[in-house]
Structures are given as structure tokens and as C-alpha cells.
């Protein structure tokens, strides 16, 4: 008896999540159908890929579970068109699925990512279509051509033919699970084709599609055909079966013989991506190690790029035999976006993950894979800068991790980094930056913060821009660590626009004693006294041209942006950064005024209060919180009242809550 099951992501609570899941299923199915209706034929590729993965799993498990395959050692895919029944069956002798697995794998969308997927749906068809690639929802493509799909599966190791299960759905938000029989281990995916898609029962069509999409699958793909002879009572149906893929591993073929289309199809097969790859590299390494690699860069970041146990994209083969999915040991972490295969001639066939982690050969393979990937990125950056920019926007943040982690390749990785800058639209590299540096510019300048528009207006870079010196915008949180990993590039230091004393020769100078400054010394001392412990010092600067003041960190201190980032991660930590220095723009008329008022004792209180206002202003313009916004607003109102009263020619009225200058407070 067929058992109706609600489609929910966990097995335990049948009722609770069904509504949720139907919304996701509906969204996903209409997405698949709407965005792929012009490419219906890809359903075959997806189902063959799933079959091939199931065969891989059976083969790998049989290495340790010696009885798993029993007598039936044949690993194959069979395609069975049936014109009378209008069905197309894709059968495999792979691992199969238990009842629970059928429910879990086919009952939830792309399983691990289903919630994430639903969250990211935007309703914009073009954007949502690219999600399909990130989540790999291959099985559902069956509904591009079928009105109903039955999946009958018997898990490997199950001995009774009756212990199979049938999953069946018409894509209407429900599926049914029922006991079934299957003579062998494996899975039959039976598509009940819609009338308008019966062409997929034609043998010539199936041959063409397998050739186009799945030729390199490493297991035989057989096409079963029926020939009817005779008539009436003499009618006989003869079945024949013919292998229709070449099955040669694509990476073993000479590069010159493989077309771009074949590479792209192979990529889609291994990555479960729907989009073309952005770039590829295909190489054979000889010497101490013999191995072949075929690696690809995807166009889009997968949803789990930053998940601790996100998927990794390298499949390991040993002498053309599949050994391991998601082989993390072959790739450094910071290249985890690479997809493809490595085929080693030296590793043992029964190699385990544990062994791989400590194997010397594997370490060498990893080094080579990293180098080859960087070669590929360099070539992409040089030959197709626009595509490289696409890569950078998707994966740059991850690649930058390598600056800290990969000592050997650090210099090459630094050259691959890109940022936006004050100098030009679009992304720039350090090399281009240096090439544009005008005579006399001593260093490479950067400013870090969350967003480019905000940084572009920062007081800290006024002086640099006025000199025609370009400033890089470090807008990723990881950029804060870039400058420590790459302290200089082509002999030029990387200098933060918000740290250290600004000097036109790039050299840091110690703070002079205010007393030694006959012109500004008095004001500097007064302001330092007003601000007390909140600042390390108050000094004059050439950093500013338009703004009156700004705050800067010590050359080796954290800086406001990093402090903000760290606070987000550990909000309860006490003040992390060192004290900062308030810098004054001596050319600003406001400060000129303050300097002139400073000797006048009757103005002391005013000067102290205005110092508070200027200090809060400096915090606001760099995007930092101020300690007491209400007090700041009161002070501003009081000042505006004075100015407006003066404009009316009236004596300044008493402000309602005229505070005495506040006692110094620490920032929150
Ligand atoms: P993906 O293949 O990207 O994981 P699918 O929706 O195509 O997503 O498949 C979901 C899961 O269902 C697979 O990961 C696999 O575990 C299981 N599955 C699909 N087809 C088969 C098959 N022919 N044999 C065994 N398991 C399968």
C-alpha cells in the first residue's frame, strides 16, 4: 500500500514542517522548470551523473565491505526507453537507497542546503537561476520532461529482492513511499514522459545526448532497445543492449583532442554546476610523482563557501579508478573553490582519508595543485581581466586567506589581489597601483572600512588625494590582515591612511613636545587636557585639507576598523585598541580661531567644550560610535542657538539644558 509522506526535511516530525517544505519544493520546481525549459535535455546528464556517483560509492565501499557487491560485480548504467509505456528508465547498479535515504535525499531539496536555498530565493528569475548551480538540485530536473517520476531502489548489502522501496511523485508537493521489489542492487529512475517530450524515447536522440553530455563517464552506459518482429500471434520482441559511451576518462586524453564543450560538460558532471566553468587547467606531472589534474574555476561561489564543513570539489582517482569524493587533502583551504579531478599513479587504491592527511606524496600533490591553480589564475588575470574580476568578486576573500597560510606562494598571491581605489573605477592590483605612483610618492596607501562610498569621503585621505596619491579601499574584513601579511610590495611599504603620523616622505616621526611649538603649543595642551585619557596626544597634521580634525591610531596599533570588527566578534571585551591621537588641521579657519582664542582665560570653558564637539566629530566621520550622542546633540543645539541668535542680532538666549562641559567619558 502506498504511503503518503509529507515532504519535510527531517524524518522524525512528519507533520510539522510539511508546509514549509512545500513552499520550498514549489519554488524550486518552478525555478528549475522556468529557467531550464530551453535546456530540457540536461535531465539526462543529471540522472546519469547521479547514477555514476552511486556507482562510485558502491565501488569505494566494496573495498572495505568485501561482500557488498556479492555475485553481481557489474557496475553499469542502463538506459531503457519504452515507447508503449511512454517511460524512460535510467537504471544503475550503484549503492541504491534505503527507505530512509529515499525520503531524505529525494524528499528534501539538495538536502543540506535546503533552508539556505529557500532563504536566498529572491523572486528575480535570472538571479534565482544561478542558485540552482550553487545548490545542485539535479534530480529535480527529471520533472523537466516527466509528469511523474518513480524511483525504485534497493540499497547495496540488502539481500532480499523484496526489500526495495519505491518513491514516487508528480511534483505536486507530495510524494509517496511504498515497498517494492528489485532483482539487483541499485536504482531505477522511471520517467513518465509528457506527450510533448516523447522524442526522448528515440534511440538516436539518446545516443546523441549521451555522447554530448556523458561520454566520459567511467562506467559503461548501455542503451537497451526493443525490436518487434512478426505480426499477430507471431509477434516477438527482441531486446538488445549496446554500450554507447566511450568511457575514457577525459583527463587522460591529450588536450588537443578535447573540445571546450567537452571540458565544460565534464565540469558540469563533476561539479553539479549548471553553468560553464570560468577557467580550467589540465596538466600531467611527471618526476617523483606521476599524476594528472583537471581543475576548474566555477563562476559562482557555492552557498557553503564559508561553512566549516562545506563541500570540497576535488575527486581523487588512482590509475583511472575513482577513489574518493571531496578530497580535501589535495587542496589548501584557501583554494577550496576549485573543482575537478586528480588522478594519481602512485597512491594505493584503498587509500583512506586518514592516510591521505599524513601522506608525503599527498603533500607534494597539494603543493603542485596549488601552484597549478595559481598559474591558472595568473593566466586568467592577464588574458581575461573581466573574467578575473568575476572570479575575484566571488572568491577573492577566500584567496586572500592564502597570504597568511601559504608562505611559498604568498608573493604570487599578493599580485593576484585586487581592490577598489580612489584612483580609478573598478579593481586594481598592487602592481598597477605602483606603476601609477607619481614621482615622490613614498608608499602604497590604504584605508580600511566597511564600504567604499564612506571611505572615499574619509577625512583621513584628504591630504593624500590632494597630492594625487592613490588610496586602496580595504573593504573586506580580511583586508585588515593583508597589510600584516604583505608589509611591502616591490619595495614600497603598505601604509594605513588612518595610522601613524602622516609625512610626505613616508617616514614615521615621533610626536614632538607641544611645548616646543610656539604657535600651536598652547592649544594642543589645552585640548589634550580637556580630553584627558581618551587620547594619546593632540598634534598638528598635513593629513587633512578640508576637515578640521581626525583621529589616528599608532603605527602598530589596531585601528578603528579592526577594533570594530573584533568587537563584533567579542562584544564584551574591554577596549581592545590602544589610545589614539587627535590630529588638527592648522589651515582650517576654525582651528585658526581657536588658536587665537586660546590665550584668553575667559574662553577656557568654551574651548574645552568645543574640543569635545570636535572629538565627537572625529569619531563620527570615521564611523565610530560616540560615547554620549545626547550630550553631543545638546552641544550642537547650543552652538546653533548662539549662531542663529547672533544672526538675528539678539543676545544669545540661555539654552534649556546648558550643561557644563562634561567630565571625560570613555567610548562605549
Ligand atoms: P546532488 O546529486 O547534487 O546531491 P540530487 O538532487 O541530484 O542532488 O540528488 C540528491 C541525492 O540523492 C544524491 O546526493 C544521492 O545521495 C541521492 N541519489 C540521487 N540519485 C541516486 C541514485 N541513482 N542512486 C543512489 N542515490 C542517488
Amino acid at each position: 500500500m502506498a504511503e503518503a509522506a509529507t515532504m519535510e526535511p527531517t524524518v522524525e516530525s512528519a507533520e510539522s514542517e510539511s508546509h514549509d517544505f512545500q513552499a520550498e519544493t514549489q519554488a524550486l520546481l518552478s525555478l528549475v522548470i522556468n529557467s531550464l525549459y530551453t535546456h530540457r535535455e540536461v535531465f539526462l546528464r543529471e540522472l546519469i551523473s547521479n547514477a555514476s556517483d552511486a556507482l562510485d560509492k558502491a565501488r569505494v565501499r566494496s573495498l572495505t565491505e568485501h561482500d557488498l557487491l556479492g555475485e553481481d560485480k557489474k557496475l553499469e548504467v542502463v538506459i531503457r526507453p519504452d515507447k508503449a509505456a511512454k517511460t524512460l528508465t535510467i537504471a544503475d547498479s550503484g549503492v541504491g537507497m534505503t527507505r530512509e535515504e529515499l525520503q531524505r535525499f529525494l524528499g528534501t531539496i539538495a538536502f543540506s542546503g535546503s533552508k539556505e536555498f529557500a532563504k536566498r530565493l529572491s523572486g528575480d528569475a535570472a538571479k534565482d537561476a544561478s542558485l540552482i548551480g550553487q545548490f545542485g538540485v539535479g534530480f529535480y530536473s527529471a520533472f523537466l520532461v516527466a509528469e511523474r517520476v518513480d524511483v525504485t531502489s534497493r540499497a547495496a548489502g540488502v539481500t532480499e529482492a523484496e526489500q526495495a522501496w519505491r518513491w514516487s511523485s508528480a511534483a505536486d508537493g507530495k510524494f509517496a513511499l511504498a515497498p517494492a521489489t528489485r532483482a539487483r542492487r541499485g536504482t531505477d529512475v522511471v520517467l513518465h514522459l509528457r506527450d510533448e517530450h516523447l522524442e526522448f524515447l528515440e534511440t538516436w536522440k539518446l545516443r546523441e545526448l549521451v555522447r554530448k553530455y556523458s561520454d566520459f563517464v567511467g562506467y559503461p552506459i548501455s542503451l537497451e532497445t526493443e525490436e518487434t518482429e512478426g505480426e499477430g500471434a507471431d509477434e516477438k520482441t527482441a531486446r538488445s543492449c549496446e554500450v554507447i559511451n566511450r568511457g575514457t576518462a577525459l583527463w587522460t586524453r591529450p588536450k588537443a583532442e578535447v573540445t571546450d564543450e567537452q571540458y565544460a560538460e565534464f565540469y558540469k558532471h563533476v561539479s553539479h554546476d549548471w553553468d560553464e566553468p570560468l577557467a580550467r587547467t589540465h596538466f600531467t606531472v611527471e618526476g617523483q610523482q606521476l599524476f594528472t589534474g583537471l581543475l576548474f574555476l566555477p563562476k559562482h561561489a557555492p552557498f557553503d563557501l564559508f561553512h566549516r564543513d562545506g563541500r570540497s570539489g576535488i575527486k581523487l582517482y588512482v590509475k583511472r579508478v575513482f577513489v574518493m569524493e571531496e578530497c580535501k587533502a589535495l587542496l589548501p583551504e584557501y583554494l577550496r573553490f576549485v573543482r575537478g579531478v586528480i588522478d594519481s599513479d602512485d597512491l594505493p587504491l584503498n587509500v583512506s582519508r586518514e592516510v591521505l592527511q599524513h601522506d608525503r606524496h599527498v603533500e607534494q600533490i597539494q603543493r603542485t595543485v596549488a601552484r597549478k591553480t595559481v598559474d591558472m589564475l595568473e593566466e586568467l588575470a592577464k588574458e581575461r581581466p573581466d573574467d578575473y574580476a568575476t572570479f575575484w568578486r566571488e572568491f577573492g576573500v577566500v584567496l586572500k586567506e592564502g597570504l597568511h597560510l601559504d608562505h611559498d606562494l604568498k608573493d604570487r598571491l599578493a599580485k593576484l589581489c585586487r581592490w577598489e581605489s580612489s584612483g580609478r573605477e573598478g579593481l586594481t592590483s598592487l602592481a598597477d597601483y605602483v606603476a601609477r605612483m607619481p614621482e615622490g610618492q613614498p608608499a602604497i596607501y590604504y584605508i580600511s572600512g566597511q564600504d567604499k562610498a564612506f571611505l572615499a569621503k574619509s577625512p583621513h585621505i584628504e591630504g593624500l588625494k590632494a597630492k594625487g596619491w592613490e588610496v586602496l579601499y580595504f573593504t573586506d574584513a580580511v583586508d585588515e590582515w593583508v597589510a600584516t601579511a604583505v608589509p611591502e610590495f616591490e619595495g614600497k611599504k603598505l601604509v594605513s591612511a588612518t595610522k601613524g603620523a602622516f609625512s610626505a616622505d613616508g617616514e614615521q616621526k615621533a610626536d614632538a613636545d607641544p611645548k616646543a611649538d610656539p604657535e600651536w603649543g598652547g592649544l594642543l595642551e589645552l585640548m589634550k587636557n580637556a580630553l584627558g585619557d581618551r587620547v594619546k596626544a593632540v598634534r598638528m597634521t598635513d593629513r587633512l585639507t578640508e576637515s578640521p580634525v581626525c583621529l589616528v591610531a599608532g603605527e602598530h596599533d589596531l585601528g578603528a576598523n579592526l577594533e570594530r570588527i573584533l568587537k563584533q566578534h567579542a562584544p564584551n571585551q574591554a577596549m581592545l585598541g590602544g589610545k589614539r591621537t587627535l590630529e588638527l588641521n592648522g589651515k582650517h579657519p576654525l582651528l585658526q580661531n581657536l588658536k587665537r582664542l586660546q590665550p584668553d582665560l575667559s574662553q577656557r570653558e568654551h574651548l574645552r567644550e568645543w574640543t569635545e564637539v570636535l572629538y565627537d566629530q572625529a569619531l563620527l566621520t570615521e564611523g565610530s560610535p560616540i560615547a554620549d550622542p545626547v550630550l553631543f546633540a545638546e552641544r550642537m543645539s547650543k552652538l546653533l542657538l548662539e549662531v542663529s541668535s547672533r544672526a538675528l542680532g539678539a543676545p544669545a538666549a540661555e539654552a534649556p539644558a546648558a550643561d557644563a562641559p562634561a567630565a571625560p567619558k570613555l567610548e562605549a
Side-chain angles (χ1 to χ4, degrees):
M1 197 186 69
E3 174 192 342
T6 31
M7 297 174 100
E8 33 73 31
T10 52
V11 187
E12 306 86 65
S13 54
E15 296 302 325
S16 60
E17 286 185 79
S18 82
H19 178 260
D20 211 16
F21 187 81
Q22 287 188 357
E24 289 170 11
T25 322
Q26 242 30 67
L28 178 71
L29 280 172
S30 48
L31 183 60
V32 167
I33 290 165
N34 288 331
S35 54
L36 294 171
Y37 63 93
T38 49
H39 302 89
R40 285 184 205 280
E41 61 189 34
V42 299
F43 81 90
L44 192 62
R45 173 186 78 200
E46 294 303 314
L47 297 179
I48 292 176
S49 279
N50 282 352
S52 155
D53 289 349
L55 293 164
D56 281 346
K57 286 177 195 157
R59 215 204 59 76
V60 169
R61 271 179 58 190
S62 74
L63 294 175
T64 46
E65 298 168 49
H66 301 296
D67 303 331
L68 189 85
L69 303 184
E71 298 295 298
D72 182 10
K73 302 251 184 286
K74 192 157 187 200
L75 296 174
E76 61 174 348
V77 183
V78 178
I79 301 177
R80 194 177 300 132
D82 183 335
K83 284 189 177 164
K86 297 187 195 169
T87 59
L88 178 67
T89 301
I90 291 92
D92 65 69
S93 54
V95 274
M97 283 172 275
T98 60
R99 178 189 188 281
E100 193 265 332
E101 284 167 341
L102 276 168
Q103 176 158 1
R104 197 148 53 102
F105 294 151
L106 306 186
T108 62
I109 302 161
F111 189 44
S112 60
S114 61
K115 283 242 162 60
E116 191 87 19
F117 183 88
K119 251 199 304 195
R120 294 201 191 178
L121 285 173
S122 69
D124 173 336
K127 259 196 229 146
D128 290 346
S130 78
L131 281 178
I132 299 179
Q134 291 174 43
F135 285 83
V137 287
F139 171 75
Y140 289 88
S141 62
F143 291 103
L144 283 169
V145 294
E147 56 193 7
R148 204 178 90 227
V149 179
D150 298 331
V151 181
T152 304
S153 199
R154 178 171 144 193
V158 165
T159 46
E160 304 297 325
E162 296 74 44
Q163 289 181 333
W165 287 88
R166 176 170 302 130
W167 175 102
S168 132
S169 177
D172 51 1
K174 293 196 298 272
F175 67 85
L177 270 178
T181 42
R182 194 179 193 274
R184 314 169 61 183
R185 159 198 82 233
T187 305
D188 292 321
V189 179
V190 183
L191 310 180
H192 297 266
L193 296 180
R194 286 174 216 277
D195 283 343
E196 61 271 34
H197 303 310
L198 294 179
E199 71 197 71
F200 294 112
L201 296 175
E202 301 296 341
T203 49
W204 65 265
K205 183 77 183 172
L206 294 165
R207 242 182 254 277
E208 178 193 291
L209 293 180
V210 168
R211 201 66 192 215
K212 179 166 165 194
Y213 291 123
S214 314
D215 199 26
F216 44 75
V217 168
Y219 301 96
I221 302 174
S222 304
L223 180 61
E224 211 175 272
T225 47
E226 288 179 327
E227 297 283 345
T228 319
E229 283 170 10
E231 271 182 39
D234 294 336
E235 192 182 282
K236 273 197 201 132
T237 311
R239 288 189 165 272
S240 61
C241 211
E242 180 198 350
V243 175
I244 54 172
N245 65 323
R246 272 184 289 184
T248 45
L250 189 82
W251 59 92
T252 59
R253 310 227 306 253
K255 276 197 247 187
E257 286 177 19
V258 185
T259 64
D260 287 345
E261 288 73 29
Q262 287 168 328
Y263 276 122
E265 285 311 328
F266 180 75
Y267 164 73
K268 292 176 189 176
H269 172 72
V270 289
S271 68
H272 290 251
D273 191 348
W274 293 69
D275 224 328
E276 311 275 306
L278 199 55
R280 64 165 187 264
T281 175
H282 183 182
F283 56 88
T284 298
V285 177
E286 282 161 22
Q288 282 184 326
Q289 284 278 319
L290 184 59
F291 73 94
T292 299
L294 177 50
L295 308 176
F296 299 91
L297 285 187
K299 268 191 194 150
H300 308 285
F303 74 96
D304 54 4
L305 189 62
F306 293 101
H307 292 192
R308 190 173 293 258
D309 40 49
R311 285 167 299 171
S312 142
I314 300 279
K315 287 190 186 216
L316 175 64
Y317 286 74
V318 171
K319 298 197 182 76
R320 265 62 64 208
V321 177
F322 174 79
V323 165
M324 198 179 292
E325 192 100 50
E326 303 197 359
C327 189
K328 292 195 172 162
L330 296 175
L331 266 182
E333 265 287 288
Y334 73 91
L335 297 177
R336 58 186 177 271
F337 46 81
V338 173
R339 299 283 177 261
V341 301
I342 295 294
D343 186 348
S344 160
D345 271 24
D346 305 304
L347 292 168
L349 262 175
N350 58 357
V351 67
S352 68
R353 284 189 196 270
E354 292 66 40
V355 169
L356 277 180
Q357 266 167 10
H358 307 290
D359 189 287
R360 206 170 33 84
H361 293 306
V362 173
E363 216 170 282
Q364 283 173 14
I365 295 179
Q366 197 201 75
R367 293 316 308 152
T368 311
V369 169
R371 264 202 310 280
K372 291 287 180 186
T373 304
V374 170
D375 290 345
M376 164 167 67
L377 290 172
E378 284 172 351
E379 192 184 314
L380 183 67
K382 189 160 162 248
E383 308 293 334
R384 294 185 280 142
D386 289 346
D387 285 344
Y388 186 75
T390 303
F391 159 78
W392 184 255
R393 293 206 163 87
E394 293 288 311
F395 301 109
V397 189
V398 178
L399 194 73
K400 278 186 269 194
E401 293 171 13
L403 294 172
H404 272 282
L405 300 173
D406 196 328
H407 199 70
D408 295 347
L409 291 174
K410 192 175 91 178
D411 292 346
R412 292 174 66 189
L413 292 173
K415 288 186 185 149
L416 285 168
C417 288
R418 298 288 184 273
W419 293 276
E420 296 201 88
S421 82
S422 63
R424 60 206 295 268
E425 275 304 304
L427 296 166
T428 190
S429 65
L430 288 172
D432 288 344
Y433 178 105
V434 170
R436 281 193 298 271
M437 277 169 68
E439 189 88 26
Q441 178 179 339
I444 297 170
Y445 293 98
Y446 66 88
I447 180 162
S448 42
Q450 276 164 327
D451 113 57
K452 176 191 157 188
F454 188 79
L455 294 178
K457 287 190 291 194
S458 167
H460 293 96
I461 64 173
E462 288 170 1
L464 296 168
K465 286 199 296 192
K467 280 180 170 296
W469 297 353
E470 190 172 346
V471 184
L472 298 172
Y473 298 138
F474 277 14
T475 47
D476 277 332
V478 287
D479 287 333
E480 285 284 355
W481 286 272
V482 167
T484 52
V486 190
E488 61 172 62
F489 183 84
E490 293 181 1
K492 305 287 178 193
K493 269 193 180 167
L494 266 76
V495 172
S496 166
T498 62
K499 289 186 193 177
F502 175 81
S503 68
D505 57 12
E507 291 301 319
Q508 294 291 329
K509 293 185 190 69
D511 278 341
D513 181 358
K515 291 198 178 69
D517 183 343
E519 190 185 355
W520 291 95
L523 183 66
L524 292 173
E525 269 194 279
L526 181 145
M527 291 176 88
K528 169 68 180 121
N529 286 336
L531 295 170
D533 271 353
R534 286 171 291 171
V535 294
K536 188 166 142 216
V538 183
R539 70 176 170 226
M540 305 311 295
T541 188
D542 291 329
R543 191 188 311 270
L544 302 165
T545 58
E546 286 144 48
S547 307
V549 291
C550 67
L551 279 163
V552 295
E555 197 190 353
H556 303 292
D557 289 341
L558 289 184
N561 185 51
L562 185 51
E563 212 174 281
R564 228 178 354 255
I565 294 169
L566 295 176
K567 267 190 192 151
Q568 272 167 11
H569 292 278
N572 300 325
Q573 290 270 293
M575 265 293 275
L576 295 149
K579 274 184 237 161
R580 291 185 297 138
T581 296
L582 184 71
E583 289 194 337
L584 311 185
N585 174 4
K587 297 194 188 75
H588 198 288
L590 170 57
L591 285 155
Q592 300 266 350
N593 284 355
L594 300 190
K595 179 181 72 177
R596 285 169 54 201
L597 287 171
Q598 182 268 324
D600 181 348
L601 284 178
S602 70
Q603 294 298 324
R604 280 287 144 98
E605 282 314 310
H606 281 142
L607 284 167
R608 290 174 74 90
E609 190 165 341
W610 298 338
T611 299
E612 294 290 340
V613 174
L614 285 171
Y615 175 70
D616 279 351
Q617 244 184 43
L619 287 168
L620 287 172
T621 52
E622 66 175 25
S624 294
I626 54 177
D628 191 340
V630 175
L631 186 54
F632 176 75
E634 275 170 13
R635 285 178 176 137
M636 290 307 287
S637 302
K638 192 172 149 194
L639 287 169
L640 292 173
L641 176 65
E642 279 169 22
V643 178
S644 54
S645 300
R646 206 164 304 138
L648 287 168
E654 193 64 14
D659 269 300
K665 287 187 183 171
L666 289 176
E667 292 109 299

